[in-house]
Amino acid sequence: MKWKLYICCLALFGLSSQGFAQNAQDIIDGLKKDLKANPETKKVASIYSDLTWYYSKISIDSALHYGGKALSESKKLNDSTLMAQVYSDIGAVYFIKGDFVNSKLNYLSAYKIRKLRNDSRGLAKINNNLANIYEKSNQYKAAMASFIEALSYFESIKDEKNIGIIKGNIGLIHLKLKNYPKALRYIKEVVAYQEKNNFTEDLCVSCLNLGNVYLNLNDTINALKCYDKSVKACTAVGNKKGISSGFNNIASIKSEQKKSKDALALYEKSKQAREELNSDLDKNNFDLNLATNYLANNKFKEAKAVLLRTRKFYEQTQHNEKLQKNYKCLIKVCSHLNQPDSVDFYIEKLAVLNEQLLVNKADKQTAELETKYQTEKKERLIQKSKAEIATRELEIKRKETQFLILGLISLALLIIVYLVYRQQKLKNKQQEQEFELKSAIAKIETQNKLQEQRLAISRDLHDNIGSQLTFIISSIDNIKYAFDIQNAKLDSKLNGISNFAKSTIIELRDTIWAMNKSEITFEDLQARIHNFMEKAQEAKEDIRFDFMVDATLKSKTFSSVQGMNLYRTIQEAINNSIKYAQPKNVTVSIEPDANVIVITITDDGKGFDRELVMMGNGIHNMQKRIQDIGGDFDLVSKPNEGTKITISLT
């Protein structure tokens, strides 16, 4: 028989240095006596911390109450070691309560403190506890990684007790992943070690988990033995959560064996321990098992009331595995109560949940649901023994079958529609990607062709026009060398032609430099302007030149046209300063200003009055170049105060 029970599993925590040889309540009573003796402040904080830990086994509310007091006192003392321990204890309390969000936040607070203190042992324990949270949240990969990290540390220091705790938790992950042989091997090894060393508190949890493994292997005899050991160990140390879970699991087996009276009696014992503990998660897990027992005994109204209550909790806390079981039970209950709208509602809720968790296994789940229904239908028919209600029962079964089949068909259609939609969406996405790829390739090919054309043109300019200009310069120099030219006007004319050809070569090289680059950065521009400034410095030694680019802008890129226009504008501004302003300093700076890049060219020369001076082509050309690349150009000058040109680029 395949056991389909809700089984309560417990995780082992890294324990404090204090043992659990005596009952938790006895220890609590002793600690409270210590408080009445008016100890020193540090001792009070430590007692509050211990009360938090021991109350976590028997009363969640009391544990959180003393946890708050312990945290407040440790903060007053500024004792980081105690503060980290308190955060860790509060994290354990919230974990037992089923509030994994607050549990994780407190563990991380403890982790930060222990990280600062280089507390390797403390960090390993927190890794183990965080892994338990990941395991409960079905993040098995993250859980296993944290367990392995903690296990590695404890193995390095040969701490056998904590090695056993973590191996038990790893076995619990294998249990959740349905790798029962591995789970059995890990947990049996841990139980043997704990029995040998009489670790009663640890056996409380380990025997419960070992029983769960045996139950999943359909070995109910060994499962019951392990649960019985767990209950005895938990009772010995006053672990209310373990007691509740142990009785709950035994009751589940009795319920599956149709021993309803025994099951209800055990559920009542589980309920009593759970109510004393006040754990929201345990309370709802217990109620879910109780609803399952009601359903098995045809108490459909009672089952529905309990299921609706637990459904709200599982939806809020996102315990999806338990929520799946809840929805399945509600489908059966509503079907029996002849509530087809509710059946459809919960079938749809279950379909959405299954799609979120196991889309790739939807067909298999549908088949299992149908098989489960057929099996239960046969069992219900076998149980019918009263002939006087046979006709009515058959009619009810017929309607139930219709509703369930309709629900299954609807679910199958939803799955098919989703798969078709998903396939079409993937196809459309693939087509979009292919189109984008083709467009990108075409763009790259176009850019490559344009680059090749630019390179060809630049080579022609360099090889043809450059060589011709060089020939002109060489020819003029040869004429001047070969002939003794006495005519000053002719000599001046030849010098003018030679200088013009040389400046043309320089501008030609600048143009070729821009054409050979698809993009130009401010760093490229800085290097080019520096070259120009160095040559200007040679001609004007009394002028100091500075060029500054903000480090954040050096990698800013422009097209070759934009870069060339900026270069020519800056070059023209510097030339104008040299020719007309008679400055001592010429400065070029490029800086960011909000979302704008600001380029300023300033000199401390003689300046001029814009109202009295006719603007030449140079300034108009600079304005036009900046406008062409979408920038703003501004020139401010006053007599004897110098000139400032500002270029703003968005």
Side-chain angles (χ1 to χ4, degrees):
M1 177 188 295
K2 183 177 180 182
W3 293 87
K4 297 184 178 180
L5 305 176
Y6 175 78
I7 301 301
C8 293
C9 300
L10 293 180
L12 284 76
F13 288 84
L15 303 176
S16 67
S17 59
Q18 295 168 289
F20 285 85
Q22 63 185 117
N23 190 286
Q25 187 61 56
D26 295 337
I27 298 174
I28 289 170
D29 292 341
L31 289 169
K32 287 185 175 179
K33 285 182 182 178
D34 291 342
L35 274 178
K36 290 180 180 179
N38 295 318
E40 61 176 339
T41 306
K42 187 167 184 178
K43 181 66 175 175
V44 170
S46 180
I47 292 173
Y48 283 150
S49 175
D50 290 341
L51 284 169
T52 302
W53 176 249
Y54 287 106
Y55 261 123
S56 70
K57 307 299 176 185
I58 62 175
S59 174
I60 298 298
D61 290 341
S62 296
L64 290 175
H65 169 72
Y66 283 107
K69 283 179 171 289
L71 190 59
S72 176
E73 292 299 322
S74 62
K75 286 181 177 178
K76 288 179 185 177
L77 293 167
N78 198 25
D79 187 335
S80 61
T81 302
L82 182 58
M83 207 180 304
Q85 184 60 52
V86 173
Y87 274 125
S88 185
D89 290 343
I90 295 173
V93 176
Y94 276 118
F95 182 90
I96 295 168
K97 184 178 174 65
D99 186 346
F100 301 138
V101 173
N102 277 315
S103 178
K104 185 177 180 181
L105 287 173
N106 279 280
Y107 278 133
L108 290 176
S109 295
Y111 190 95
K112 288 178 182 177
I113 296 172
R114 288 177 172 170
K115 185 76 171 176
L116 290 172
R117 295 180 57 83
N118 293 319
D119 181 3
S120 300
R121 182 182 181 84
L123 290 173
K125 287 185 177 182
I126 293 175
N127 270 324
N128 175 61
N129 295 336
L130 286 172
N132 286 322
I133 295 174
Y134 296 142
E135 179 268 320
K136 288 293 184 184
S137 306
N138 302 322
Q139 301 176 48
Y140 299 125
K141 185 176 180 181
M144 188 63 82
S146 292
F147 279 140
I148 295 299
E149 185 176 345
L151 182 62
S152 176
Y153 170 77
F154 287 120
E155 285 180 339
S156 71
I157 63 171
K158 298 180 180 179
D159 184 338
E160 293 186 359
K161 185 171 184 179
N162 278 295
I163 289 171
I165 289 172
I166 296 170
K167 282 187 175 180
N169 288 334
I170 291 174
L172 194 58
I173 289 184
H174 287 304
L175 172 59
K176 289 294 187 70
L177 295 175
K178 299 183 179 180
N179 190 341
Y180 304 127
K182 274 194 175 182
L184 186 65
R185 176 166 58 83
Y186 271 100
I187 300 177
K188 277 186 72 175
E189 180 184 340
V190 173
V191 168
Y193 170 76
Q194 291 168 351
E195 285 180 332
K196 179 181 176 182
N197 292 276
N198 197 28
F199 292 153
T200 308
E201 172 64 15
D202 297 344
L203 280 169
C204 166
V205 177
S206 299
C207 287
L208 182 74
N209 291 336
L210 185 59
N212 295 338
V213 177
Y214 278 124
L215 191 62
N216 280 281
L217 291 170
N218 297 323
D219 187 349
T220 54
I221 295 174
N222 277 317
L224 286 170
K225 287 180 181 179
C226 290
Y227 292 149
D228 186 57
K229 283 184 180 180
S230 174
V231 170
K232 288 178 181 177
C234 291
T235 302
V237 298
N239 187 333
K240 298 293 178 64
K241 181 176 177 66
I243 294 170
S244 175
S245 298
F247 280 133
N248 184 75
N249 290 357
I250 297 172
S252 296
I253 295 176
K254 298 297 183 182
S255 177
E256 189 74 11
Q257 293 173 341
K258 309 303 180 185
K259 297 178 181 179
S260 180
K261 289 184 179 179
D262 293 342
L264 287 174
L266 290 163
Y267 279 134
E268 187 60 33
K269 290 182 179 181
S270 175
K271 179 182 179 182
Q272 183 179 350
R274 180 256 306 157
E275 286 179 344
E276 291 175 5
L277 180 64
N278 193 27
S279 167
D280 296 337
L281 179 60
D282 284 348
K283 177 181 182 302
N284 284 276
N285 290 345
F286 167 82
D287 286 346
L288 183 60
N289 263 8
L290 184 62
T292 305
N293 188 68
Y294 283 144
L295 186 60
N297 289 278
N298 297 330
K299 296 181 179 180
F300 305 121
K301 290 184 179 179
E302 293 89 338
K304 184 177 181 181
V306 175
L307 288 168
L308 290 176
R309 187 167 63 248
T310 57
R311 170 200 157 197
K312 183 177 180 181
F313 173 79
Y314 291 140
E315 286 179 339
Q316 288 176 344
T317 56
Q318 296 182 350
H319 285 77
N320 291 329
E321 289 182 355
K322 302 172 187 66
L323 192 58
Q324 281 180 309
K325 180 179 178 67
N326 187 285
Y327 287 157
K328 290 176 183 178
C329 291
L330 279 168
I331 290 170
K332 294 178 189 176
V333 168
C334 294
S335 177
H336 281 288
L337 294 175
N338 197 19
Q339 297 172 343
D341 291 341
S342 295
V343 171
D344 291 343
F345 175 77
Y346 289 114
I347 286 176
E348 185 176 351
K349 295 279 279 185
L350 180 61
V352 171
L353 184 61
N354 287 341
E355 181 181 321
Q356 291 172 350
L357 299 175
L358 300 168
V359 171
N360 57 332
K361 296 182 180 179
D363 290 335
K364 180 180 177 181
Q365 288 180 331
T366 304
E368 288 177 351
L369 185 60
E370 185 175 1
T371 302
K372 184 178 180 182
Y373 165 74
Q374 295 295 341
T375 302
E376 290 174 352
K377 176 184 174 182
K378 291 176 183 178
E379 290 176 354
R380 287 196 298 269
L381 289 173
I382 292 172
Q383 293 171 358
K384 303 305 176 183
S385 59
K386 296 182 180 181
E388 62 272 17
I389 62 171
T391 303
R392 183 181 175 186
E393 290 295 327
L394 288 172
E395 180 63 22
I396 291 173
K397 294 302 174 186
R398 186 183 65 80
K399 289 181 179 179
E400 289 174 354
T401 303
Q402 289 176 346
F403 288 136
L404 189 54
I405 290 174
L406 180 61
L408 291 171
I409 291 172
S410 300
L411 179 59
L413 287 174
L414 284 172
I415 293 170
I416 292 170
V417 168
Y418 172 77
L419 291 175
V420 171
Y421 166 76
R422 187 168 177 268
Q423 184 64 28
Q424 186 60 41
K425 189 175 180 181
L426 288 172
K427 186 177 179 181
N428 292 341
K429 187 175 181 181
Q430 184 179 2
Q431 289 175 346
E432 288 176 4
Q433 290 175 341
E434 289 176 356
F435 176 76
E436 289 174 359
L437 181 60
K438 289 178 180 177
S439 300
I441 292 171
K443 185 176 180 180
I444 290 169
E445 289 176 348
T446 302
Q447 290 175 344
N448 288 339
K449 288 179 180 178
L450 289 172
Q451 183 64 16
E452 289 174 2
Q453 291 174 358
R454 283 200 296 267
L455 290 173
I457 292 170
S458 66
R459 282 195 298 269
D460 289 342
L461 288 172
H462 182 273
D463 295 343
N464 297 331
I465 298 176
S467 61
Q468 291 173 9
L469 289 169
T470 302
F471 175 75
I472 291 171
I473 295 168
S474 177
S475 298
I476 292 171
D477 289 342
N478 288 336
I479 291 171
K480 291 173 68 178
Y481 178 77
F483 299 97
D484 183 14
I485 300 174
Q486 299 298 323
N487 189 326
K489 186 175 182 181
L490 177 59
D491 185 58
S492 175
K493 192 69 174 177
L494 289 172
N495 285 335
I497 294 171
S498 178
N499 291 334
F500 177 76
K502 288 177 182 177
S503 64
T504 303
I505 287 177
I506 292 171
E507 291 187 4
L508 180 63
R509 286 173 181 167
D510 290 337
T511 303
I512 292 171
W513 165 74
M515 289 181 66
N516 284 340
K517 285 182 170 288
S518 57
E519 291 182 339
I520 293 175
T521 65
F522 274 126
E523 193 169 14
D524 297 330
L525 200 61
Q526 184 180 22
R528 206 72 186 175
I529 294 294
H530 266 307
N531 290 338
F532 172 73
M533 285 181 168
E534 286 174 1
K535 292 178 182 178
Q537 186 77 60
E538 293 174 3
K540 297 286 184 177
E541 294 180 355
D542 56 336
I543 300 177
R544 179 183 174 183
F545 296 94
D546 287 313
F547 191 102
M548 297 174 290
V549 180
D550 189 277
T552 60
L553 296 177
K554 285 193 174 183
S555 59
K556 171 71 176 174
T557 59
F558 298 95
S559 69
S560 58
V561 174
Q562 291 173 320
M564 197 61 190
N565 279 5
L566 285 174
Y567 174 68
R568 291 297 189 205
T569 302
I570 295 170
Q571 186 186 48
E572 179 68 20
I574 294 171
N575 273 330
N576 286 345
S577 294
I578 294 170
K579 288 180 181 179
Y580 308 116
Q582 298 176 4
K584 292 181 180 178
N585 295 283
V586 176
T587 302
V588 179
S589 68
I590 302 175
E591 296 176 319
D593 184 7
N595 296 323
V596 179
I597 298 171
V598 178
I599 303 170
T600 57
I601 305 100
T602 58
D603 67 56
D604 56 359
K606 61 184 182 180
F608 60 92
D609 189 338
R610 292 193 64 172
E611 300 295 329
L612 303 176
V613 175
M614 178 87 59
M615 295 298 166
N617 288 331
I619 292 177
H620 289 303
N621 287 340
M622 287 191 287
Q623 288 177 324
K624 182 66 168 58
R625 286 182 187 277
I626 299 306
Q627 288 173 359
D628 287 346
I629 60 174
D632 294 324
F633 180 90
D634 181 54
L635 186 148
V636 176
S637 183
K638 293 182 179 180
N640 301 319
E641 292 185 14
T643 302
K644 180 179 180 180
I645 293 175
T646 304
I647 299 168
S648 301
L649 301 174
T650 55

